[in-house]
Short mmCIF file of all heavy atoms in Angstrom, two decimals:
data_model
loop_
_atom_site.label_atom_id
_atom_site.label_comp_id
_atom_site.label_asym_id
_atom_site.label_seq_id
_atom_site.Cartn_x
_atom_site.Cartn_y
_atom_site.Cartn_z
N GLU A 1 -48.66 35.70 -37.69
CA GLU A 1 -49.71 35.82 -36.67
C GLU A 1 -49.11 36.03 -35.28
O GLU A 1 -49.76 36.60 -34.40
CB GLU A 1 -50.58 34.57 -36.67
CG GLU A 1 -51.51 34.48 -37.89
CD GLU A 1 -52.17 33.12 -38.02
OE1 GLU A 1 -51.97 32.28 -37.11
OE2 GLU A 1 -52.87 32.88 -39.02
N GLN A 2 -47.86 35.60 -35.10
CA GLN A 2 -47.18 35.79 -33.81
C GLN A 2 -46.39 37.09 -33.78
O GLN A 2 -45.62 37.34 -32.85
CB GLN A 2 -46.23 34.61 -33.55
CG GLN A 2 -46.92 33.26 -33.43
CD GLN A 2 -45.92 32.14 -33.19
OE1 GLN A 2 -45.05 32.24 -32.32
NE2 GLN A 2 -46.03 31.07 -33.95
N GLY A 3 -46.55 37.90 -34.83
CA GLY A 3 -45.84 39.17 -34.88
C GLY A 3 -44.43 39.06 -35.42
O GLY A 3 -43.64 40.01 -35.32
N LEU A 4 -44.10 37.93 -36.03
CA LEU A 4 -42.77 37.71 -36.59
C LEU A 4 -42.83 37.89 -38.11
O LEU A 4 -43.83 37.57 -38.74
CB LEU A 4 -42.27 36.30 -36.26
CG LEU A 4 -42.17 35.97 -34.77
CD1 LEU A 4 -41.84 34.49 -34.56
CD2 LEU A 4 -41.12 36.84 -34.09
N SER A 5 -41.75 38.39 -38.68
CA SER A 5 -41.74 38.58 -40.14
C SER A 5 -40.33 38.34 -40.67
O SER A 5 -39.59 39.27 -40.97
CB SER A 5 -42.20 39.99 -40.51
OG SER A 5 -41.42 40.95 -39.81
N PRO A 6 -39.94 37.07 -40.79
CA PRO A 6 -38.61 36.75 -41.29
C PRO A 6 -38.47 37.12 -42.76
O PRO A 6 -39.45 37.18 -43.50
CB PRO A 6 -38.52 35.22 -41.10
CG PRO A 6 -39.94 34.76 -41.14
CD PRO A 6 -40.74 35.86 -40.50
N VAL A 7 -37.24 37.35 -43.18
CA VAL A 7 -36.95 37.72 -44.57
C VAL A 7 -36.65 36.45 -45.36
O VAL A 7 -35.78 35.67 -45.01
CB VAL A 7 -35.76 38.70 -44.63
CG1 VAL A 7 -35.33 38.93 -46.07
CG2 VAL A 7 -36.15 40.02 -43.98
N VAL A 8 -37.39 36.24 -46.44
CA VAL A 8 -37.22 35.06 -47.29
C VAL A 8 -36.13 35.33 -48.33
O VAL A 8 -36.15 36.36 -49.00
CB VAL A 8 -38.53 34.71 -48.01
CG1 VAL A 8 -38.33 33.52 -48.94
CG2 VAL A 8 -39.63 34.42 -47.00
N VAL A 9 -35.17 34.43 -48.42
CA VAL A 9 -34.16 34.51 -49.48
C VAL A 9 -34.15 33.19 -50.24
O VAL A 9 -34.44 32.13 -49.69
CB VAL A 9 -32.74 34.81 -48.91
CG1 VAL A 9 -32.68 36.21 -48.33
CG2 VAL A 9 -32.33 33.79 -47.85
N LYS A 10 -33.84 33.28 -51.54
CA LYS A 10 -33.82 32.10 -52.43
C LYS A 10 -35.18 31.37 -52.39
O LYS A 10 -36.21 32.00 -52.19
CB LYS A 10 -32.68 31.16 -52.04
CG LYS A 10 -31.30 31.77 -52.13
CD LYS A 10 -30.23 30.73 -51.84
CE LYS A 10 -30.35 30.15 -50.45
NZ LYS A 10 -29.45 29.03 -50.19
N GLY A 11 -35.17 30.06 -52.56
CA GLY A 11 -36.37 29.24 -52.44
C GLY A 11 -37.58 29.78 -53.16
O GLY A 11 -37.57 30.03 -54.36
N ILE A 12 -38.64 30.00 -52.40
CA ILE A 12 -39.92 30.41 -52.98
C ILE A 12 -39.83 31.78 -53.65
O ILE A 12 -40.56 32.07 -54.59
CB ILE A 12 -41.03 30.38 -51.91
CG1 ILE A 12 -42.41 30.28 -52.59
CG2 ILE A 12 -40.95 31.56 -50.96
CD1 ILE A 12 -43.52 29.89 -51.63
N MET A 13 -38.91 32.61 -53.18
CA MET A 13 -38.71 33.91 -53.82
C MET A 13 -38.20 33.72 -55.25
O MET A 13 -38.64 34.41 -56.18
CB MET A 13 -37.71 34.74 -52.99
CG MET A 13 -37.54 36.18 -53.46
SD MET A 13 -36.40 36.39 -54.86
CE MET A 13 -34.86 35.84 -54.13
N CYS A 14 -37.30 32.76 -55.45
CA CYS A 14 -36.81 32.47 -56.80
C CYS A 14 -37.88 31.76 -57.63
O CYS A 14 -38.04 32.06 -58.82
CB CYS A 14 -35.55 31.60 -56.72
SG CYS A 14 -34.08 32.48 -56.14
N ARG A 15 -38.60 30.84 -57.03
CA ARG A 15 -39.64 30.13 -57.78
C ARG A 15 -40.69 31.09 -58.32
O ARG A 15 -41.28 30.86 -59.37
CB ARG A 15 -40.31 29.06 -56.90
CG ARG A 15 -39.37 27.93 -56.51
CD ARG A 15 -40.13 26.69 -56.07
NE ARG A 15 -40.97 26.90 -54.91
CZ ARG A 15 -40.56 26.93 -53.66
NH1 ARG A 15 -39.27 26.76 -53.38
NH2 ARG A 15 -41.40 27.11 -52.65
N ASN A 16 -40.90 32.18 -57.61
CA ASN A 16 -41.89 33.17 -58.03
C ASN A 16 -41.49 33.88 -59.32
O ASN A 16 -42.31 34.56 -59.94
CB ASN A 16 -42.09 34.19 -56.91
CG ASN A 16 -43.33 35.03 -57.09
OD1 ASN A 16 -44.42 34.50 -57.30
ND2 ASN A 16 -43.17 36.34 -57.02
N LEU A 17 -40.24 33.72 -59.75
CA LEU A 17 -39.76 34.36 -60.97
C LEU A 17 -40.19 33.62 -62.23
O LEU A 17 -40.17 34.17 -63.33
CB LEU A 17 -38.22 34.43 -60.96
CG LEU A 17 -37.57 35.22 -59.82
CD1 LEU A 17 -36.07 34.93 -59.79
CD2 LEU A 17 -37.82 36.71 -59.98
N TYR A 18 -40.57 32.36 -62.07
CA TYR A 18 -40.85 31.49 -63.22
C TYR A 18 -42.34 31.45 -63.52
O TYR A 18 -43.18 31.63 -62.63
CB TYR A 18 -40.33 30.08 -62.94
CG TYR A 18 -38.82 30.03 -62.77
CD1 TYR A 18 -38.22 30.39 -61.56
CD2 TYR A 18 -37.99 29.63 -63.82
CE1 TYR A 18 -36.83 30.35 -61.40
CE2 TYR A 18 -36.62 29.57 -63.67
CZ TYR A 18 -36.04 29.94 -62.46
OH TYR A 18 -34.67 29.90 -62.30
N SER A 19 -42.67 31.19 -64.79
CA SER A 19 -44.07 31.14 -65.20
C SER A 19 -44.83 30.05 -64.45
O SER A 19 -46.02 30.19 -64.16
CB SER A 19 -44.19 30.93 -66.71
OG SER A 19 -43.51 29.76 -67.11
N ASP A 20 -44.15 28.94 -64.15
CA ASP A 20 -44.73 27.88 -63.32
C ASP A 20 -43.72 27.57 -62.22
O ASP A 20 -42.84 26.73 -62.38
CB ASP A 20 -45.03 26.63 -64.15
CG ASP A 20 -45.80 25.57 -63.34
OD1 ASP A 20 -45.91 25.73 -62.10
OD2 ASP A 20 -46.27 24.60 -63.94
N GLY A 21 -43.86 28.28 -61.12
CA GLY A 21 -42.87 28.19 -60.05
C GLY A 21 -42.68 26.81 -59.47
O GLY A 21 -41.59 26.47 -58.99
N ASP A 22 -43.72 25.98 -59.49
CA ASP A 22 -43.60 24.65 -58.91
C ASP A 22 -42.72 23.73 -59.76
O ASP A 22 -42.37 22.63 -59.32
CB ASP A 22 -44.98 24.02 -58.72
CG ASP A 22 -45.77 24.73 -57.62
OD1 ASP A 22 -45.18 24.97 -56.56
OD2 ASP A 22 -46.94 25.05 -57.84
N CYS A 23 -42.38 24.18 -60.96
CA CYS A 23 -41.45 23.41 -61.79
C CYS A 23 -39.99 23.76 -61.48
O CYS A 23 -39.08 23.09 -61.96
CB CYS A 23 -41.72 23.66 -63.27
SG CYS A 23 -43.23 22.86 -63.86
N ARG A 24 -39.79 24.82 -60.70
CA ARG A 24 -38.42 25.17 -60.28
C ARG A 24 -38.16 24.47 -58.95
O ARG A 24 -38.65 24.87 -57.90
CB ARG A 24 -38.29 26.70 -60.16
CG ARG A 24 -36.84 27.21 -60.01
CD ARG A 24 -36.38 27.09 -58.60
NE ARG A 24 -35.12 27.76 -58.34
CZ ARG A 24 -34.40 27.55 -57.25
NH1 ARG A 24 -34.81 26.67 -56.34
NH2 ARG A 24 -33.28 28.19 -57.07
N PHE A 25 -37.38 23.42 -59.00
CA PHE A 25 -37.17 22.53 -57.86
C PHE A 25 -36.32 23.20 -56.77
O PHE A 25 -35.32 23.84 -57.06
CB PHE A 25 -36.47 21.26 -58.35
CG PHE A 25 -36.18 20.24 -57.29
CD1 PHE A 25 -37.15 19.34 -56.91
CD2 PHE A 25 -34.94 20.18 -56.67
CE1 PHE A 25 -36.89 18.39 -55.93
CE2 PHE A 25 -34.67 19.23 -55.70
CZ PHE A 25 -35.65 18.33 -55.33
N SER A 26 -36.73 23.06 -55.51
CA SER A 26 -35.88 23.44 -54.38
C SER A 26 -36.26 22.60 -53.17
O SER A 26 -37.44 22.37 -52.91
CB SER A 26 -35.99 24.94 -54.05
OG SER A 26 -37.32 25.33 -53.84
N THR A 27 -35.26 22.13 -52.47
CA THR A 27 -35.50 21.17 -51.38
C THR A 27 -35.85 21.84 -50.06
O THR A 27 -36.43 21.21 -49.18
CB THR A 27 -34.27 20.28 -51.16
OG1 THR A 27 -33.13 21.13 -50.91
CG2 THR A 27 -33.99 19.41 -52.37
N ASP A 28 -35.47 23.12 -49.90
CA ASP A 28 -35.72 23.77 -48.61
C ASP A 28 -36.02 25.25 -48.82
O ASP A 28 -35.97 25.76 -49.94
CB ASP A 28 -34.53 23.59 -47.66
CG ASP A 28 -33.22 24.07 -48.28
OD1 ASP A 28 -33.24 25.04 -49.07
OD2 ASP A 28 -32.17 23.49 -47.99
N GLU A 29 -36.35 25.91 -47.74
CA GLU A 29 -36.60 27.35 -47.75
C GLU A 29 -35.60 28.02 -46.80
O GLU A 29 -35.19 27.43 -45.80
CB GLU A 29 -38.03 27.67 -47.31
CG GLU A 29 -39.10 27.07 -48.19
CD GLU A 29 -39.15 27.64 -49.58
OE1 GLU A 29 -38.62 28.75 -49.80
OE2 GLU A 29 -39.71 26.98 -50.48
N ASP A 30 -35.22 29.26 -47.12
CA ASP A 30 -34.24 29.98 -46.32
C ASP A 30 -34.85 31.25 -45.75
O ASP A 30 -35.45 32.05 -46.48
CB ASP A 30 -33.03 30.34 -47.19
CG ASP A 30 -32.26 29.12 -47.65
OD1 ASP A 30 -32.68 28.50 -48.65
OD2 ASP A 30 -31.25 28.78 -47.02
N LEU A 31 -34.67 31.43 -44.44
CA LEU A 31 -35.16 32.62 -43.76
C LEU A 31 -34.00 33.34 -43.10
O LEU A 31 -33.14 32.71 -42.46
CB LEU A 31 -36.20 32.24 -42.70
CG LEU A 31 -37.49 31.57 -43.19
CD1 LEU A 31 -38.38 31.22 -42.01
CD2 LEU A 31 -38.23 32.47 -44.17
N PHE A 32 -33.97 34.65 -43.22
CA PHE A 32 -32.92 35.49 -42.67
C PHE A 32 -33.52 36.36 -41.57
O PHE A 32 -34.49 37.08 -41.80
CB PHE A 32 -32.35 36.35 -43.81
CG PHE A 32 -31.25 37.30 -43.41
CD1 PHE A 32 -30.37 37.02 -42.38
CD2 PHE A 32 -31.09 38.50 -44.11
CE1 PHE A 32 -29.35 37.90 -42.05
CE2 PHE A 32 -30.09 39.39 -43.78
CZ PHE A 32 -29.22 39.09 -42.75
N VAL A 33 -32.95 36.24 -40.36
CA VAL A 33 -33.44 37.02 -39.21
C VAL A 33 -32.24 37.63 -38.50
O VAL A 33 -31.10 37.23 -38.72
CB VAL A 33 -34.26 36.14 -38.24
CG1 VAL A 33 -35.44 35.49 -38.95
CG2 VAL A 33 -33.39 35.07 -37.59
N SER A 34 -32.51 38.57 -37.61
CA SER A 34 -31.41 39.18 -36.87
C SER A 34 -30.87 38.21 -35.83
O SER A 34 -31.58 37.32 -35.35
CB SER A 34 -31.87 40.47 -36.19
OG SER A 34 -32.77 40.17 -35.14
N GLU A 35 -29.62 38.40 -35.49
CA GLU A 35 -29.00 37.52 -34.48
C GLU A 35 -29.72 37.67 -33.14
O GLU A 35 -29.86 36.69 -32.39
CB GLU A 35 -27.52 37.87 -34.33
CG GLU A 35 -26.72 36.85 -33.55
CD GLU A 35 -25.23 37.02 -33.70
OE1 GLU A 35 -24.78 37.93 -34.43
OE2 GLU A 35 -24.48 36.24 -33.08
N GLU A 36 -30.21 38.88 -32.84
CA GLU A 36 -30.91 39.13 -31.57
C GLU A 36 -32.23 38.35 -31.50
O GLU A 36 -32.64 37.92 -30.41
CB GLU A 36 -31.19 40.62 -31.41
CG GLU A 36 -29.97 41.51 -31.27
CD GLU A 36 -29.25 41.76 -32.59
OE1 GLU A 36 -29.88 41.56 -33.66
OE2 GLU A 36 -28.06 42.12 -32.56
N ASP A 37 -32.88 38.17 -32.63
CA ASP A 37 -34.18 37.49 -32.65
C ASP A 37 -34.08 35.99 -32.92
O ASP A 37 -35.10 35.30 -32.95
CB ASP A 37 -35.07 38.11 -33.74
CG ASP A 37 -35.44 39.55 -33.43
OD1 ASP A 37 -35.38 39.93 -32.25
OD2 ASP A 37 -35.77 40.29 -34.38
N PHE A 38 -32.87 35.50 -33.11
CA PHE A 38 -32.69 34.11 -33.56
C PHE A 38 -33.32 33.11 -32.59
O PHE A 38 -34.06 32.20 -33.01
CB PHE A 38 -31.19 33.83 -33.73
CG PHE A 38 -30.89 32.55 -34.46
CD1 PHE A 38 -31.02 32.48 -35.84
CD2 PHE A 38 -30.48 31.42 -33.77
CE1 PHE A 38 -30.74 31.31 -36.52
CE2 PHE A 38 -30.20 30.24 -34.44
CZ PHE A 38 -30.33 30.19 -35.82
N GLU A 39 -33.07 33.27 -31.31
CA GLU A 39 -33.60 32.32 -30.31
C GLU A 39 -35.13 32.39 -30.26
O GLU A 39 -35.79 31.36 -30.07
CB GLU A 39 -33.01 32.62 -28.93
CG GLU A 39 -31.52 32.29 -28.81
CD GLU A 39 -31.23 30.82 -29.06
OE1 GLU A 39 -32.05 29.96 -28.64
OE2 GLU A 39 -30.19 30.52 -29.66
N GLN A 40 -35.67 33.58 -30.43
CA GLN A 40 -37.13 33.73 -30.44
C GLN A 40 -37.74 32.94 -31.60
O GLN A 40 -38.78 32.29 -31.45
CB GLN A 40 -37.50 35.21 -30.56
CG GLN A 40 -39.01 35.47 -30.51
CD GLN A 40 -39.35 36.94 -30.69
OE1 GLN A 40 -38.47 37.80 -30.81
NE2 GLN A 40 -40.64 37.24 -30.70
N TYR A 41 -37.07 32.98 -32.73
CA TYR A 41 -37.55 32.22 -33.89
C TYR A 41 -37.44 30.71 -33.65
O TYR A 41 -38.34 29.95 -34.04
CB TYR A 41 -36.78 32.61 -35.15
CG TYR A 41 -37.36 33.82 -35.84
CD1 TYR A 41 -36.85 35.09 -35.61
CD2 TYR A 41 -38.43 33.70 -36.71
CE1 TYR A 41 -37.38 36.21 -36.24
CE2 TYR A 41 -38.98 34.80 -37.35
CZ TYR A 41 -38.44 36.06 -37.11
OH TYR A 41 -38.98 37.15 -37.73
#
C-alpha cells in the first residue's frame, strides 16, 4: 500500500509448496531488497 514490493525468499514461499503449508515450520520471514532502498524499508 506504500508502494513497496520486497522480494520474498524462503519462509512462506517454501511453505506454499506443501499441501498444508502451516505444517512446514519456519520461525521468520526473509525479504530481499536493493541496497539503495534498504533505509526506506
Side-chain angles (χ1 to χ4, degrees):
E1 287 169 4
Q2 298 179 49
L4 301 173
S5 54
V7 172
V8 177
V9 292
K10 300 185 298 173
I12 201 165
M13 187 278 297
C14 288
R15 294 200 299 281
N16 195 51
L17 299 168
Y18 297 80
S19 57
D20 187 350
D22 291 314
C23 287
R24 192 279 190 195
F25 180 84
S26 54
T27 56
D28 55 33
E29 299 293 340
D30 294 82
L31 297 178
F32 179 31
V33 302
S34 69
E35 192 166 359
E36 294 77 19
D37 294 338
F38 192 77
E39 291 300 322
Q40 183 182 358
Y41 274 96

